[in-house]
Amino acid sequence: SRRNFLKLSVGSAALAGSPAAYAKAADSVAVPKRKFGRHDDMVSVFGIGGHTLYLSGSQEDANEIVARAVDLGVNFFDNAWDYHGGEAEVYMGNALKGKRDKVFLMSKFCNYHNSIERAQTAAASVTMLDETLKRLKTDHLDLWLMHQVSHNDLEDAYRADGALEAIEMAKKQGKIRYAGFSGHTDPQLNYDMIDRGYEWDAVLMPISSVGAMGSRKYEKLVIPICEKKGVAVLGMKGFGGSRRTELHKQTSAEKVLQYSLSHPQLCTQIMGIDKVDYVNQAAVASMTKPFTVAEREAYAAQFEFAPGTPEFAAQYHGEKLYEEGSCCLRRDKENA
């Protein structure tokens, strides 16, 4: 049967561990999709992150990655206004030329959350959105996120002339379909953003097979309220994030997706992909059976370290969260 053939292909690729073996196995894959929260849209179980796509090195390489991903059934693409000074959106917009109707496209606005002198108003957010749309060569986003909430961003969202006014303005203008937020420093704040009452469509949070950035706290606190409210759960930092490369060797694309997809509320895990080889690996991994709850807990227990140990520091506080050269600099970074 096709199912048994795919299992054999996936197993052979994993054993061979070569780019050619993964490419051959991926040719037989149609990346699965899951329902986008309370909405009827179906999104691929892993998505392509724009920050890392830019690191592929050239527009030609980015084009190749995106084309391969779309061919394999990947339809979720993530970006942000400030990734690499806007060039990440330019790369993705060019790579998606002729493919826009095949994808679910997301980006983020940052004027409530960075060190750039940018007015913290709804109008300024929509201007930022217009710049994003131009770079991505589209007239609308499927999903627009308030980027990396922390500190006083709960009030920035709900206050007059805040982020929610920007979101509603953009919806009325037909520039976005859905809205959400991302956050990876404060799970309680993620919870409070939802609990305050706005009907968010999605939240992007750490869902990490190695427990990076305190992802277990997000899973225990935030996922249940997302399920209750019908908010789509999007995962990130599956390998620990690009600046935690010491964690990458502890896991694999297969384990990342077995772990994240064991949460039925999660619809998409954003993967940092800068090579076509990694698209193939992720596509093959998407066909593996997710962990059971017991398997997930047993796997996670391997990566639980005591506070104060070097291993704990590597997981959670291995570097300043907001440092010069990072993708998003807070106006109050000295307090980060």
Side-chain angles (χ1 to χ4, degrees), residues 208-212 215-216 237-240 247 250-251 299 303 315:
S208 173
S209 61
V210 291
S215 65
R216 309 285 184 251
K237 311 299 181 184
F239 285 95
L247 298 178
Q250 299 182 30
T251 189
Y299 184 81
F303 301 103
Q315 277 187 312

Side-chain angles (χ1 to χ4, degrees), residues 9-11 13-14 21-23 25-26 29 31 46 279-288:
S9 298
V10 168
Y22 274 110
V29 166
V31 173
F46 79 89
V279 179
N280 293 328
Q281 288 182 31
V284 170
S286 73
M287 300 301 296
T288 59

Side-chain angles (χ1 to χ4, degrees), residues 232-285:
V233 176
L234 312 174
M236 61 175 167
K237 311 299 181 184
F239 285 95
S242 60
R243 288 178 289 162
R244 296 172 181 79
T245 55
E246 72 280 355
L247 298 178
H248 294 191
K249 61 183 177 292
Q250 299 182 30
T251 189
S252 64
E254 180 181 14
K255 296 302 182 187
V256 164
L257 290 178
Q258 282 185 292
Y259 183 87
S260 63
L261 295 176
S262 69
H263 297 284
Q265 304 87 351
L266 181 138
C267 56
T268 297
Q269 179 77 25
I270 305 299
M271 304 286 272
I273 290 176
D274 58 3
K275 295 181 180 179
V276 171
D277 292 345
Y278 298 155
V279 179
N280 293 328
Q281 288 182 31
V284 170

Side-chain angles (χ1 to χ4, degrees), residues 135-152:
R135 294 168 182 166
L136 288 170
K137 294 179 169 52
T138 185
D139 62 356
H140 76 283
L141 295 178
D142 296 292
L143 177 60
W144 195 37
L145 301 187
M146 186 180 182
H147 196 184
Q148 218 306 62
V149 298
S150 63
H151 296 78
N152 62 338

